[in-house]
Amino acid sequence: MSVFHLIIFICFLLSISYLVFLTSASWCTPSAFPQQTTRQFEQRTECFWEFQEESNIWVEVKLPFDLVSCVNDNCTKVGLIDQTSKTEEEHLANGKDVSNKTKNLKMREGDLTGLEENSYTVLPLRRRMSLTKMSDTSVWVTGESGSIYERFWNGVQWVIAPHDLQISAGRAVSVLIVNQTIFAISEEGNLYQMKLTDWVELKPAFNQSTNKEAEQSSVIQMKSGTVSYDGLRVYFCTKTGLLLELSEVEPPRWENHGRPPGADVAAIADMARIRTDLVYTISSTGDLYEYDKSSRPSWKKHLQSEETDKDGSLVPLQGCMIYGLSGDHSVSLFLLTKGGKLVERRLHQRKWKWITHGSPEDHHLTSITPLLEDELKERFFSLFLTTSTGSVFEYQIPKHLGTAQEDQISEAWQNHMHPPNAKAARGIPGLKFQLGRILFALDDGRLAELHLPGLGGQNSGPTNQFNRKKLSSKYIWSILDAPESEGWNGEYCTEERGPMNCIAGIKDEPNDSGNIRSLTRRRKGTKAQQDYLSLGTSRSRLVKASEEYRFPDNWINTSFRLRLVQAGVSFFIITEAGLIFEYLYTESVWLWLRHDHSTPMRGALGNYNGSVFFVDVYGTLLIRERSNNELAWINCTAMRKGRQIIGGPPWDGMSGKLKVTAEDALFFVSKSGRLLQFSVALRKFKWKDCHNPPETKLACIIDQEVFRENIVFVVGRNGRLYQYNKVTELWHEHHQSQHLVLSRLPGTAMRPSFFSLTGSLFMLSEDGGLVEYHWNAWNGWNWVEHGTPSKDVTLVAPPSPCIKGNQLFLIGSDGNIYLRYMDQLIWRWKNCGFPQNGDGDTRDQTEMGANDRMQEVCMDNDPTANLDINLENPNDQNRKCDPKVAPTRPIPFSEDSVIFELRDGRLAEIQKVQDSKWVWQRIIGTPTSSCKGCYLTGQERRRFGGCCWSELEPLSCLDFSSPRLCRSFFRPPITL
């Protein structure tokens, strides 16, 4: 009976449980859990990896990252991975109404310039930038490109000296100076030491018997380093979270201090000034640790208070230690939290405590600038901190704070904003190299100095003594140029005697004529700051909408019909029907080769390492390259993130500067008006969307890295000039007068020497005039309008390539070509006509418009040159010859010759014989030209045995030793 009753009791309990479940289920209606319908996916990490099939490795991606789905080469965007850190600025940018707060904040600071732009745009992290002081006359910088350069005062002016790591070492991320010994850390984590002028790798070596966690030196990768205050030792944290110490340099003496129990070393916060063996570190989880070699245990953890926990854990960044803030024996370590707040870890009367100082309203702090040794004697301390939006704040703390003054006061925060049209780099601490002078790395790769009036700036050297009482307390900004490795205009110093000498500058010296010419930079800081405008700050918009501009139907064909492959050997031509022909010199014979493709072509957009890039009528980018012993086509638009394009770079590099690197890429303009980067190095093809300026779509590329390394100059469909920096991935607009509207045609760069940054960009204006955008070290950027050769002639085609750094050709509306050249510092025009104008005028005009007839130098002076022309019957209608020059962009054929297209479809070559003297060398018949005429100079006749060229093929001379014995025959172009 007992078992029976037990079973009945269990069944009774189960029935009750079932009823309770049903009743509870009846309560679980959708209205009972409204938060479930509004819940969104919460992203808790910023580390995502992408598998690269070409290299068979995982690579960390940069956020934001587009999620793209590709099916049968049809790729569509299906999602986006964005950054997770929702700072206050990001919330503001997402639509919160804070216009009144922003306006009031800026009005309080008395600066209205910032109202023009969005001050709440969160900047990307610049992980390679760093500033290191060697002395008052020397500051070492690592740029975002990974380059190393030194800003040095040579006694006359500041000069820039390059100290890059060797190419095999990769990019640098920081520089450390220990007892006059210079170290550099590469992005891969390798440590290098400078010996004489070379970088030598230094691998840590430990005594395996005395280090419990000693690792093999080959696997240790450095992450960052900090030099002790006495300048005799340096501490490193590795990528695996170890704390290393280099206590002696010669010979190297390494110590491995391991890591905190259950944690790691993500950053070195600071070191004690009195005890050099006391180090404060921050773990990757945001906890503060103290390492004391003389105590047991060596590692101690500083627990956070409830108040600091609200602001989040600590950011693994360098902090700032101050002595005597709240008493003679007090120690204060200032750090930042992940919530962007300033906190203090204070030791006073042998007790540690946390103090929260907060942050300016609506700002997120990202770095702290360490103090100078001399500042410890001041009555108050000033901490300079950068924000995530690129502003700089000063936080003033008086000495010996009382208990009633420990609360934050609003007047303590002073907003120094940022330089005009530039912002301070996010997360990069500034560098105080003198009292009243602070250097900051800018987000665009340049440097800026925040200084007291009269103390700093581009032309101000180190200041030894000054009366601070007479100085203003208001700081001002000065922008300092960076070298070309960062995309800017800072000239490197030279070994030549003069003010630009790398060691000792010499002031101006008289030249041969007895005049004194200043070679030092005379530019004012404000002038340099006005050249580059932040996007959206330009007040004049001559075109209401960039979409209103419509490209002509033959725009691509006329701009990219011709492309040089190898100087003096091979070039391509695209016909009106979309056929591709290559003109090739092989085995002492010129041949026409036809390259067939299933779709008609529109233009040849680039040439890289022997591979030619074409675009077809549908905007597809195609590569024609040699694979083994055969030629092949590669469809680039069908690749991941591929786009349809309409234009590319006008030229394929600068003579004397062509080099193949692991970062080589070509830039193109998409049909939607965006700039696209196509990586080609090591055949690891990859597309990247570089976007476009917000106020306009792009029309064409003016220059890609010929005038400035890492810079792509473009013209928007609104007729204004912009530049894209591929290092910082930033757009800038150049200052341009309201009346100047540029044509939507490619331009050309004129740089006399790649050892100097002086040069110009030449473009056409919308009304057909020649426009020059010139830069030199004295005056910076300046616009020069050259106009037209004469009142009744306008320029109708993009400029030719630059010849010898001071000459270029333009095509006039009258079918003549005009030479623009510099003669004794004066720009002149010269009419070079067209190949068959033997009796035409050749006029040389100065920039002032003089019409005096000069020597006829733009034609062939050989009396036999026009023999075939004189035999032509001008009344023969079947010849269909028009020798005037067509409005097609010309190409260089060699260092001193240029190829033009004629209106009848033939090609003509003009060659320089001396200085600015040019002669028409020959006319080249093309496979599709309807004109059967030919033209050879006497020199060409002697070379080819007196034979003439046909409309299909050059006539073949069988016996070159006997010029008169030659036989002509026709054969069709060879099809590949």
Side-chain angles (χ1 to χ4, degrees):
M1 295 294 292
S2 61
V3 176
F4 176 77
H5 288 92
L6 179 61
I7 294 175
I8 294 299
F9 180 75
I10 293 174
C11 293
F12 177 77
L13 291 178
L14 291 175
S15 62
I16 293 177
S17 301
Y18 182 72
L19 291 175
V20 171
F21 173 77
L22 291 177
T23 306
S24 300
S26 65
W27 295 339
C28 296
T29 59
S31 60
F33 295 91
Q35 66 271 21
Q36 295 293 335
T37 61
T38 59
R39 288 188 63 183
Q40 296 181 354
F41 171 74
E42 183 177 358
Q43 180 183 328
R44 293 181 176 272
T45 181
E46 292 187 355
C47 295
F48 292 89
W49 300 76
E50 177 187 17
F51 184 75
Q52 291 187 349
E53 297 179 359
E54 298 85 357
S55 56
N56 199 30
I57 60 174
W58 289 91
V59 179
E60 187 174 359
V61 299
K62 295 182 178 180
L63 301 185
F65 182 77
D66 293 334
L67 297 176
V68 180
S69 174
C70 295
V71 179
N72 297 328
D73 296 333
N74 184 16
C75 298
T76 58
K77 178 181 176 181
V78 296
L80 174 70
I81 302 177
D82 207 344
Q83 296 181 350
T84 61
S85 55
K86 291 295 182 181
T87 62
E88 296 180 26
E89 291 84 3
E90 289 175 300
H91 288 295
L92 295 170
N94 287 336
K96 288 192 175 182
D97 184 14
V98 293
S99 58
N100 293 332
K101 293 183 179 180
T102 306
K103 185 175 180 179
N104 293 336
L105 178 62
K106 292 173 182 176
M107 289 290 289
R108 286 199 303 267
E109 301 302 329
D111 188 353
L112 298 178
T113 59
L115 290 174
E116 298 177 350
E117 56 189 271
N118 181 11
S119 298
Y120 291 100
T121 302
V122 178
L123 303 177
L125 284 174
R126 304 298 184 187
R127 302 185 184 277
R128 303 188 192 102
M129 292 181 176
S130 70
L131 301 169
T132 306
K133 177 182 176 180
M134 185 176 188
S135 65
D136 286 345
T137 60
S138 176
V139 175
W140 288 62
V141 184
T142 58
E144 182 63 16
S145 68
S147 67
I148 303 175
Y149 63 92
E150 177 187 7
R151 191 168 182 265
F152 176 72
W153 178 259
N154 65 3
V156 175
Q157 65 182 48
W158 291 100
V159 295
I160 296 176
H163 300 290
D164 290 341
L165 295 174
Q166 51 267 32
I167 297 178
S168 59
R171 299 166 171 169
V173 295
S174 64
V175 172
L176 305 168
I177 301 175
V178 186
N179 197 18
Q180 302 301 315
T181 302
I182 303 171
F183 296 94
I185 300 177
S186 70
E187 198 169 32
E188 289 75 17
N190 299 323
L191 181 65
Y192 293 88
Q193 177 182 352
M194 176 172 280
K195 293 187 176 181
L196 297 179
T197 58
D198 298 326
W199 291 102
V200 179
E201 186 175 359
L202 180 63
K203 294 184 178 181
F206 304 100
N207 185 352
Q208 299 292 331
S209 61
T210 59
N211 289 275
K212 296 180 180 180
E213 294 190 56
E215 301 182 9
Q216 297 296 328
S217 59
S218 58
V219 299
I220 290 183
Q221 295 178 312
M222 304 297 182
K223 183 179 180 181
S224 62
T226 304
V227 180
S228 61
Y229 286 101
D230 57 11
L232 300 178
R233 64 185 67 202
V234 57
Y235 289 88
F236 298 93
C237 66
T238 68
K239 292 186 177 182
T240 56
L242 295 176
L243 178 65
L244 306 182
E245 178 185 354
L246 180 62
S247 56
E248 295 181 10
V249 177
E250 294 295 344
R253 181 182 175 183
W254 290 91
E255 293 185 57
N256 186 352
H257 300 304
R259 56 173 65 89
D264 60 358
V265 178
I268 300 173
D270 213 327
M271 287 171 291
R273 293 178 181 269
I274 301 175
R275 293 181 52 190
T276 58
D277 56 350
L278 188 60
V279 184
Y280 296 92
T281 66
I282 301 176
S283 66
S284 57
T285 57
D287 295 318
L288 178 65
Y289 288 87
E290 174 185 330
Y291 177 78
D292 188 353
K293 186 190 305 184
S294 60
S295 66
R296 291 294 180 268
S298 301
W299 289 98
K300 297 177 183 178
K301 181 179 181 180
H302 290 247
L303 299 177
Q304 295 192 33
S305 64
E306 295 182 0
E307 185 178 358
T308 56
D309 281 339
K310 296 179 182 179
D311 297 323
S313 54
L314 300 177
V315 181
L317 292 174
Q318 181 183 9
C320 178
M321 183 170 288
I322 300 177
Y323 288 86
L325 183 61
S326 57
D328 293 337
H329 302 287
S330 66
V331 178
S332 297
L333 178 59
F334 287 88
L335 304 167
L336 296 178
T337 67
K338 292 182 178 179
K341 308 295 184 182
L342 177 66
V343 296
E344 175 189 354
R345 184 60 167 165
R346 180 181 298 177
L347 174 62
H348 183 52
Q349 296 179 352
R350 298 185 180 182
K351 292 182 180 180
W352 285 101
K353 67 176 180 179
W354 288 98
I355 299 175
T356 301
H357 295 270
S359 64
E361 185 180 4
D362 301 327
H363 285 279
H364 184 104
L365 303 176
T366 60
S367 71
I368 304 176
T369 299
L371 298 177
L372 285 174
E373 190 75 30
D374 296 339
E375 289 184 284
L376 301 178
K377 304 175 184 179
E378 299 292 330
R379 291 180 300 175
F380 61 88
F381 301 107
S382 289
L383 292 180
F384 288 83
L385 306 99
T386 62
T387 69
S388 59
T389 57
S391 296
V392 174
F393 278 85
E394 179 183 0
Y395 184 60
Q396 294 184 348
I397 315 170
K399 271 191 178 182
H400 305 296
L401 285 173
T403 56
Q405 295 177 297
E406 290 182 357
D407 295 335
Q408 176 185 341
I409 55 176
S410 59
E411 290 78 7
W413 294 101
Q414 295 188 14
N415 189 356
H416 295 287
M417 302 297 290
H418 47 76
N421 300 306
K423 294 185 178 182
R426 171 187 170 192
I428 306 300
L431 176 66
K432 291 188 176 182
F433 70 101
Q434 281 194 318
L435 283 175
R437 303 181 67 176
I438 313 161
L439 285 180
F440 289 93
L442 296 181
D443 184 62
D444 59 24
R446 293 177 292 177
L447 302 178
E449 183 177 348
L450 183 64
H451 59 91
L452 298 173
L455 281 185
Q458 176 67 45
N459 301 318
S460 178
T463 304
N464 297 325
Q465 296 180 353
F466 60 90
N467 189 349
R468 187 159 186 170
K469 295 182 180 180
K470 296 183 179 180
L471 294 175
S472 170
S473 59
K474 182 177 176 59
Y475 283 84
I476 60 176
W477 285 101
S478 294
I479 291 184
L480 313 176
D481 223 339
E484 191 182 12
S485 61
E486 313 308 311
W488 298 100
N489 311 304
E491 299 255 17
Y492 286 124
C493 60
T494 66
E495 297 180 358
E496 300 177 358
R497 179 185 176 92
M500 288 289 291
N501 187 271
C502 292
I503 300 176
I506 300 176
K507 293 186 178 181
D508 307 326
E509 295 181 349
N511 54 23
D512 297 337
S513 61
N515 298 324
I516 296 179
R517 180 182 178 183
S518 174
L519 297 179
T520 59
R521 293 179 181 242
R522 293 179 176 175
R523 273 191 298 156
K524 301 293 184 181
T526 55
K527 172 63 172 63
Q529 295 170 13
Q530 294 172 358
D531 293 330
Y532 303 94
L533 304 177
S534 298
L535 297 182
T537 59
S538 179
R539 291 306 184 191
S540 62
R541 285 294 174 265
L542 304 180
V543 180
K544 293 183 179 180
S546 59
E547 289 77 12
E548 295 180 1
Y549 180 81
R550 298 181 61 88
F551 290 95
D553 294 336
N554 63 342
W555 184 88
I556 299 178
N557 197 261
T558 56
S559 298
F560 300 98
R561 184 192 300 271
L562 301 170
R563 200 82 192 191
L564 179 69
V565 178
Q566 185 177 354
V569 176
S570 171
F571 66 85
F572 279 84
I573 181 173
I574 312 298
T575 67
E576 292 285 352
L579 302 177
I580 309 172
F581 291 97
E582 179 184 3
Y583 197 49
L584 177 66
Y585 185 74
T586 177
E587 297 180 357
S588 303
V589 176
W590 285 99
L591 301 175
W592 280 109
L593 305 180
R594 176 173 169 175
H595 296 256
D596 282 340
H597 192 266
S598 58
T599 57
M601 293 295 157
R602 296 287 298 276
L605 301 186
N607 168 35
Y608 175 80
N609 202 24
S611 299
V612 186
F613 293 77
F614 296 92
V615 59
D616 65 8
V617 292
Y618 304 107
T620 303
L621 180 66
L622 301 162
I623 301 180
R624 184 62 160 169
E625 67 175 12
R626 185 172 297 278
S627 177
N628 296 327
N629 293 327
E630 298 182 356
L631 292 172
W633 289 98
I634 299 178
N635 189 333
C636 302
T637 300
M639 298 178 183
R640 184 173 178 268
K641 295 186 178 181
R643 299 290 189 272
Q644 293 179 324
I645 59 175
I646 60 172
W651 313 113
D652 299 312
M654 182 177 180
S655 177
K657 200 178 180 179
L658 297 177
K659 60 181 180 180
V660 178
T661 67
E663 299 177 356
D664 287 347
L666 296 181
F667 286 83
F668 302 96
V669 177
S670 69
K671 280 189 174 182
S672 58
R674 301 164 78 94
L675 184 66
L676 304 177
Q677 179 178 340
F678 186 66
S679 299
V680 295
L682 306 177
R683 292 185 55 80
K684 296 181 179 179
F685 302 127
K686 183 179 180 181
W687 285 98
K688 177 182 178 182
D689 188 353
C690 302
H691 307 286
N692 55 277
E695 62 267 18
T696 182
K697 295 181 179 180
L698 300 185
C700 64
I701 297 176
I702 296 296
D703 174 70
Q704 178 194 327
E705 299 186 87
V706 176
F707 189 66
R708 284 293 178 273
E709 187 178 352
N710 299 316
I711 293 295
V712 181
F713 291 93
V714 300
V715 169
R717 296 182 185 178
N718 57 1
R720 305 190 70 84
L721 181 66
Y722 300 86
Q723 73 172 41
Y724 174 77
N725 188 321
K726 75 174 190 179
V727 175
T728 60
E729 302 179 357
L730 293 178
W731 285 95
H732 279 87
E733 180 182 358
H734 281 263
H735 183 269
Q736 190 172 327
S737 62
Q738 297 183 6
H739 75 278
L740 178 59
V741 181
L742 300 176
S743 70
R744 287 72 168 178
L745 294 173
T748 190
M750 179 178 288
R751 187 166 161 181
S753 170
F754 60 83
F755 295 108
S756 173
L757 300 181
T758 299
S760 302
L761 293 173
F762 284 90
M763 299 156 280
L764 297 186
S765 63
E766 195 174 44
D767 56 4
L770 179 63
V771 179
E772 175 189 4
Y773 194 41
H774 178 76
W775 187 91
N776 61 45
W778 305 279
N779 302 313
W781 288 105
N782 284 287
W783 289 97
V784 180
E785 297 189 49
H786 294 256
T788 60
S790 61
K791 294 181 179 179
D792 55 347
V793 174
T794 59
L795 305 178
V796 294
S800 77
C802 165
I803 307 295
K804 301 300 181 183
N806 60 0
Q807 302 178 53
L808 73 158
F809 286 100
L810 288 308
I811 301 174
S813 55
D814 56 356
N816 295 331
I817 68 169
Y818 294 88
L819 177 67
R820 189 62 165 168
Y821 69 102
M822 180 172 285
D823 181 24
Q824 296 180 354
L825 302 179
I826 298 177
W827 282 105
R828 301 179 183 273
W829 287 103
K830 185 175 292 182
N831 186 351
C832 293
F834 52 90
Q836 296 187 15
N837 66 338
D839 298 328
D841 264 351
T842 301
R843 298 184 179 273
D844 191 342
Q845 302 162 344
T846 65
E847 191 174 15
M848 301 302 295
N851 293 320
D852 298 333
R853 180 156 179 167
M854 307 296 292
Q855 182 183 6
E856 297 182 359
V857 295
C858 285
M859 61 178 59
D860 193 290
N861 294 322
D862 194 318
T864 64
N866 296 320
L867 178 62
D868 292 295
I869 299 174
N870 295 332
L871 294 177
E872 294 180 4
N873 182 4
N875 297 323
D876 189 355
Q877 299 297 326
N878 296 325
R879 305 192 67 85
K880 298 181 180 179
C881 295
D882 187 353
K884 290 190 175 182
V885 181
T888 301
R889 186 173 64 95
I891 61 171
F893 190 58
S894 64
E895 292 185 356
D896 54 3
S897 66
V898 182
I899 295 290
F900 294 86
E901 185 185 24
L902 305 182
R903 292 180 178 177
D904 54 28
R906 295 177 298 169
L907 303 176
E909 177 185 359
I910 192 170
Q911 189 172 29
K912 186 171 74 72
V913 290
Q914 62 178 10
D915 297 334
S916 60
K917 295 183 179 180
W918 292 80
V919 297
W920 287 105
Q921 190 71 9
R922 55 173 171 161
I923 292 180
I924 305 172
T926 60
T928 58
S929 175
S930 59
C931 177
K932 299 181 175 60
C934 60
Y935 172 71
L936 285 163
T937 66
Q939 179 182 3
E940 289 289 336
R941 291 176 180 276
R942 290 186 289 272
R943 183 193 305 177
F944 295 104
C947 297
C948 190
W949 299 56
S950 75
E951 74 278 8
L952 290 179
E953 185 70 11
L955 300 183
S956 175
C957 292
L958 301 181
D959 186 3
F960 284 91
S961 62
S962 178
R964 297 300 177 185
L965 298 177
C966 67
R967 184 181 59 154
S968 65
F969 63 93
F970 293 91
R971 67 190 167 188
I974 301 175
T975 302
L976 299 177

